[in-house]
Amino acid sequence: MLIRIDGDSTTAIFDQVAASVRSDILAGQLVPGDRLPPAREVAAALDINVHTVLRAYQQLRDEGLIDLRRGRGAVISASAGPLVDLAHDIHALVARAAAVGVSPAALAALVKETTS
C-alpha cells in the first residue's frame, strides 16, 4: 500500500492521506480485513506528524471505512466492501451523464437533490 501526498497542494495533508486510502479501497486494492500501516510508520515514511495520520484515520473511521482498535490498529471495515461495486456504478453513471450532455456539476446537483 502506498499512501500519496502532494506537499504543494492546498488540500490539508490529513485529507490527502484519507483520500489516498479511500482511493485504494475504491480501486479494490484494499479489502475488508486488510490492515493499514501503523500511524507512526506512515508519518515517518511521509515525514509528517503522527497526529496528522491519526486525524486521517479518524476521518476514515467516521466514514465507516476503517475500524480502529487499540492493539489491533487500523483495519478496513466490512462496510467498505460494497464500495467497489458502488464505484463501478458511479463511473457508469458519470459516463452516461457525459454521453447525454449533463455536466459533472449538474450531475452532482441532481444527486444531492435526490438524497435530500
Side-chain angles (χ1 to χ4, degrees), residues 3-20 22 46 48 52-53 55-56 59:
I3 295 178
R4 300 159 298 278
I5 62 168
D6 177 4
D8 294 330
S9 175
T10 59
T11 303
I13 294 174
F14 78 92
D15 277 331
Q16 292 184 52
V17 171
S20 182
R22 201 178 296 111
L46 298 175
I48 60 176
T52 302
V53 179
R55 186 168 177 192
Q59 180 179 346

Side-chain angles (χ1 to χ4, degrees), residues 47-98:
D47 195 27
I48 60 176
N49 190 294
V50 69
H51 294 288
T52 302
V53 179
L54 290 172
R55 186 168 177 192
Y57 281 9
Q58 289 168 348
Q59 180 179 346
L60 292 165
R61 179 203 58 206
D62 293 346
E63 294 172 7
L65 298 177
I66 66 171
D67 294 320
L68 292 175
R69 296 208 174 100
R70 188 173 298 277
R72 189 169 171 229
V75 179
I76 305 299
S77 70
S79 63
L83 289 181
V84 175
D85 291 334
L86 184 58
H88 288 80
D89 293 343
I90 291 169
H91 289 294
L93 177 62
V94 169
R96 184 167 179 223

Side-chain angles (χ1 to χ4, degrees), residues 93 97 102-116:
L93 177 62
V102 176
S103 72
L107 179 61
L110 287 169
V111 170
K112 187 174 180 180
E113 249 182 64
T114 304
T115 60
S116 49

